[in-house]
Amino acid sequence: MRQATVYIDSEALQYNLNRVKQLAPTAKIVSMVKANAYGHGVKDCLAALANTDAFGVACLEEALEIRELGYQQPITLIEGIFSAEEMQIVIDQNIEIVVHHQQQLDWLRAQKDAYIAKNLKIWVKLNSGMNRLGFKVDEIIDVIHQLKADGFNCVLAMHFANADADNHPLNEQQKQQFLHVKEACAPILASCCNSAAIFKWPELNFDFVRPGIMLYGASPFADKTVEDLDIQPVMTFTAEIIALNTIQAGESVGYGSTFIADKETELAIVSIGYGDGYPRAFFKQNYVAINGQKVPVVGRVAMDMIAIDVTDLNAQLGTQVELWGKHRLVDDVAEANGTIGYELLCRLSNRPIRKKP
Ligand SMILES: *Cc1c(COP(=O)(O)O)cnc(C)c1O
């Protein structure tokens, strides 16, 4: 059987959840498990995150999957509902929603009593300059006052556009607007921290923090490693060597013959490719790890296979190759690919087998 495999380290996930608790001891933790738990597989991750206070997802389908698996914690739909029909389902299933525009407020008001009777909080989104979702600072105060007058329990919510960047001027603007609205609507619950903000601004942890990428052990910062942050990679993505070829100087490997050996070279063919979600385009030398040792990928990544240079290594058929994990960090593969760890994790296909270690 083809052995492209994703292993999920539940202990690493628990370790990272504890890191959130250390960094934000007084806040409740809304663990972000959208996009199939950032590609890790929601089922295994929910079990490991059993101690979280709540979950955050991007849509109703993702929330219902959590309920079907039997988890009863609060769930927040971070983009709210997408149609009026979804309102009844969120009430029945005890799912909390974000409201970020007038139409969603109308849908909510139409079922006001049922929503409030379930003790569900309503998350009201401030647009403080990211300009994706939310009410502007001059409208949200009225929106919240009205919701409170109607008897809703509100959470003021906001998302930073540049929490990963030092000294971006928008950070200060977003903070100031958030604090202004929080003050004007006091008393009100508040939530504005994703992973990067949890690390950077402990003073903004407030009532709920919303960690995503740090739970999975990848860095939200381009200039800080998981070691710097004391978090542990959760996913190990591996495949096996399925062929060995010795090529001579002047010979090439793979599509386009982009790698041409300059000396006798021992190549190993590994059963992984972009059909599994391994990225194809690299503008820096990319590596895999074998027994913790860095091994260069050579030639083009194909749909099902890559070639690696195992000259002077004792590689054999069946030798396990780590594409990313604890030795070859997903953040480093992403950097060589011109993207971020988030994307590589989320865009894994469903072809790799998923196993517990
Ligand atoms: C995805 C998401 C998060 C988590 O962000 P990370 O950078 O992965 O920690 C937090 N809040 C909202 C609203 C999100 O959409």
Side-chain angles (χ1 to χ4, degrees), residues 39-61:
H40 289 62
V42 83
K43 190 160 181 251
D44 288 342
C45 292
L46 293 180
L49 292 169
N51 285 331
T52 191
D53 298 294
F55 295 111
V57 292
C59 59
L60 183 59
E61 290 74 11

Side-chain angles (χ1 to χ4, degrees), residues 30-34 38 56-58 78-79 98 125 132-133 157-160 163 191-198 209-216 220 342:
V30 181
S31 292
M32 301 305 295
V33 294
K34 58 192 175 184
Y38 289 47
V57 292
I78 58 171
E79 296 170 18
V98 162
K125 180 97 169 193
R132 296 192 311 188
L133 302 181
M158 197 263 287
H159 197 54
F160 284 103
S191 173
C192 64
C193 288
N194 62 356
S195 300
I198 290 168
V209 291
R210 308 189 305 261
I213 197 73
M214 68 174 291
L215 290 174
Y216 305 100
Y342 296 73

